[in-house]
Amino acid sequence: MSERLVVIGGDAAGMSAASQARRLKGPGELEITAFERGRFSSYSACGIPYWVGGDVSGREELIARSPEEHRARGIDLRTRTEVTEIDLAGQRVLARDLAVGTEAWTGFDKLVIATGARPARPAVPGIDAAGVHGVQTLEDGQALLDSLAGTAGRRAVVVGAGYIGVEMAEALLNRGYEVTVLNRGEQPMATLDPDMGRLVHAAMDGLGIRTVGASPVTGILTGDDGRVRAVATEKDEYPADVVVLGTGVVPETSLAEAAGLPLGAHGGLLTDLAMRVRGQENVWAGGDCVEVLDLVSGRERHVPLGTHANKQGQVIGSNVGGDYATFPGVVGTAVSKVCDLEIARTGLREKDAREVGLRYVTVTVESTSRAGYYPGAAPMTVKMLAERRTGRLLGVQIVGREGAAKRVDIAAVALTARMTVEQMTALDLGYAPPFSPVWDPVLVAARKAVAAVRAAG
C-alpha cells in the first residue's frame, strides 16, 4: 500500500515539495494530494508589481506550472479548496470545496504545511472599502488591474513603504498615476538603516513619487458610493481613487496554531534543519509560514521570500521522498527597485546588531558602478557593519542606480562564510572598466571597515 502525502498550499514551497517528492517516488509508492484555496498554482507573487506596472504582459507569464501540469505529473492538486482543520491525532485534514461548499476529510501519512503569509491590514475604519487592494496573490493582482481599468481618477495612495509598497508605487507611476506613499516610519524601507532610507526617500521624491513619513493611517474615507475617496492620517487627508496596501505580511499559521503546533516569536512555525515541524515525526512546513535561523544573529526570523520557499520545498520533498536534505538558514538578502533606483541589503542593520548585543563599527562609502571615466557610470552608496572586536562582517546595504543591487551578493557569500572585512579585501572579483572601478565599491567599504575596526581597538 502506498503512503499518503497531503500538502496544504499550492504555491512555491508546497508544490516544490510535492514535485520533488514525486521525482523520488512514483504514484505506486506515494499518493500526493495538494489543496490550494486559490485558482492558480506555482506562481511568482514577487512578479505581481511588474505585471500591474506593465513590464510583464500577462499573469500567465508569472505561472511556473499550472494545476493541469501538476496533475499530469501525478499530483492530485485540488484548487478552490481550503483546508479548515488539521487533525494530527487522526492523521487527516478537513477541506472545503469553495465552489459548492461541501466538506470532506482526507487522511495522510505525511503532511506538508505551506500556507504562506497574509497581508498585515491596518485595523482602521474603511480598510475593506471598494478600491482598497492588497497584492498577495494573482487574484489580488487581477482585482487591482480590474479596479484601475474601471476608475476614471488618476490619484493613487500606497500605504506602507517596504518592498511591496515601493514596487507598487513604481507600478502605479508607470501607469500614469499621481502617487503618494504614506509610511508609518520616518523613512521608507525599514529593512535599511534610517540614513540609507533617507537616500531612498530623496530618490523617490525625485522620481515624482510623493513620500510622506511618520504618517500612520487612521482611516479610509469613502464617498456615497462606498468607494474610497481619500486616506486619512493624524495630520492630513490624501485624495485617492485607488489605494494599495504595502504594509507587509504575517505568517498564515491559524490552522497550525489550532492544531497545537509550535510557533515562534514572529508567529511562524518552528522547524528543524530538515524543515520538519519541531516535535512532529511526519509533519513538515516551509515557505512564508515558517521562521528561519538567521545565520548572522543566531536568532529565528520571519523572512517571506520566494527564494527561501522554493529551497525549503525542495528540502521537504527530498526528505518526504526518502532522500536527505537540510535548510541551514539565511543571512537576510533582499533586493528591490523603484524605477532606476536599486536597493539591496543583507545581514544585520544597526538596530539588529544592538538587539543581539553585538558591538560594531559602521562605514559608508560613495562610489560608482563602473570606472568613473567609462560612459554610464552611476553613483552608489554602500554601508557596511563589522563586529568591533573581530572584524567579522555583519551586514551591508546598497542604494544606487544601474549595477548597484546585485553587488550585495558578494556580501551575502561573505556573511555565509563568516568572513572578516579584512578577508573580504583580498577577494578576487572580476574587473573591467564597463563593469566596475578597479576597486569594487563593496571592497572599498571593506577596506574602510578594516580601518574602523583597527581604530576602535
Side-chain angles (χ1 to χ4, degrees):
M1 182 177 177
S2 62
E3 284 190 306
R4 301 165 299 170
L5 169 64
V6 165
V7 178
I8 307 175
D11 200 5
M15 298 318 295
S16 291
S19 298
Q20 177 66 2
R22 175 55 75 226
R23 292 186 192 101
L24 296 172
K25 287 190 173 182
E29 297 177 281
L30 184 66
E31 175 187 320
I32 305 176
T33 304
F35 297 100
E36 166 56 43
R37 63 185 177 189
R39 293 184 291 132
F40 306 101
S41 65
S42 300
Y43 60 86
S44 172
C46 303
I48 293 174
Y50 307 107
W51 168 35
V52 173
D55 297 310
V56 175
S57 60
R59 72 184 180 206
E60 292 74 19
E61 306 224 6
L62 302 181
I63 300 173
R65 189 168 290 173
S66 69
E68 292 75 20
E69 290 174 308
H70 282 300
R71 292 170 191 140
R73 288 167 169 80
I75 298 170
D76 180 13
L77 174 55
R78 304 178 189 180
T79 55
R80 297 291 293 146
T81 307
E82 181 177 14
V83 173
T84 58
E85 185 179 344
I86 299 171
D87 177 7
L88 292 174
Q91 290 192 280
R92 58 180 188 166
V93 300
L94 180 63
R96 177 185 297 122
D97 185 321
L98 298 177
V100 297
T102 56
E103 291 186 330
W105 289 96
T106 300
F108 65 82
D109 299 297
K110 298 178 178 180
L111 175 67
V112 175
I113 301 173
T115 45
R118 64 180 185 275
R121 298 175 72 89
V124 298
I127 195 67
D128 295 319
V132 179
H133 297 272
V135 283
Q136 183 71 7
T137 66
L138 283 189
E139 286 92 342
D140 293 337
Q142 188 62 63
L144 174 57
L145 283 170
D146 293 343
S147 183
L148 296 176
T151 303
R154 311 299 291 177
R155 298 168 302 181
V157 171
V158 178
V159 180
Y163 293 108
I164 294 298
V166 299
E167 289 168 359
M168 288 309 305
E170 175 188 353
L172 293 163
L173 189 70
N174 289 345
R175 284 193 167 268
Y177 279 76
E178 175 187 313
V179 182
T180 299
V181 177
L182 302 178
N183 191 40
R184 177 180 292 274
E186 285 283 351
Q187 304 299 339
M189 299 300 296
T191 52
L192 305 177
D193 287 322
D195 54 341
M196 297 296 281
R198 277 193 289 274
L199 300 178
V200 178
H201 193 156
M204 290 174 67
D205 286 347
L207 293 167
I209 300 170
R210 183 185 183 190
T211 308
V212 186
S215 296
V217 169
T218 57
I220 306 295
L221 309 180
T222 58
D224 294 337
D225 59 355
R227 186 176 177 84
V228 60
R229 64 171 180 83
V231 179
T233 68
E234 293 176 350
K235 299 177 181 178
D236 212 340
E237 292 182 7
Y238 298 88
D241 301 297
V242 65
V243 173
V244 176
L245 302 177
T247 47
V249 298
V250 294
E252 178 50 87
T253 50
S254 53
L255 271 177
E257 184 177 22
L261 294 173
L263 305 183
H266 306 282
L269 276 159
L270 297 176
T271 69
D272 61 18
L273 291 177
M275 301 309 298
R276 184 182 281 105
V277 175
R278 295 179 191 175
Q280 299 293 320
E281 182 62 30
N282 293 306
V283 182
W284 288 261
D288 293 356
C289 65
V290 305
E291 296 186 14
V292 295
L293 176 65
D294 185 314
L295 296 174
V296 187
S297 70
R299 293 187 176 181
E300 305 288 343
R301 294 179 57 191
H302 180 235
V303 187
L305 288 175
T307 50
H308 304 158
N310 278 284
K311 292 173 187 174
Q312 291 162 2
Q314 287 282 311
V315 168
I316 293 169
S318 294
N319 291 318
V320 167
D323 206 342
Y324 175 71
T326 61
F327 184 81
V330 305
V331 294
T333 309
V335 296
S336 186
K337 79 178 190 76
V338 190
C339 299
D340 67 340
L341 179 73
E342 299 184 4
I343 307 161
R345 58 96 63 204
T346 189
L348 307 183
R349 302 166 297 176
E350 291 192 53
K351 174 184 175 182
D352 304 322
R354 288 192 299 269
E355 285 180 352
V356 296
L358 288 169
R359 299 178 67 194
Y360 61 90
V361 298
T362 70
V363 297
T364 302
V365 301
E366 306 287 338
S367 187
T368 55
S369 58
R370 304 173 181 178
Y373 56 80
Y374 193 88
M380 74 172 71
T381 302
V382 180
K383 180 175 181 177
M384 185 171 287
L385 279 71
E387 189 173 14
R388 182 170 179 173
R389 182 177 63 83
T390 67
R392 176 171 66 106
L393 179 68
L394 296 179
V396 170
Q397 299 163 37
I398 304 175
V399 176
R401 257 64 188 188
E402 178 266 336
K406 285 296 282 180
R407 276 182 162 86
V408 81
D409 290 341
I410 303 167
V413 172
L415 283 167
T416 304
R418 296 182 65 84
M419 293 178 70
T420 67
V421 287
E422 187 163 10
Q423 289 171 327
M424 287 182 68
T425 63
L427 288 174
D428 185 12
L429 304 183
Y431 161 70
F435 303 105
S436 148
V438 67
W439 277 91
D440 189 271
V442 173
L443 298 191
V444 174
R447 288 179 65 184
K448 192 171 180 179
V450 170
V453 169
R454 289 174 178 168

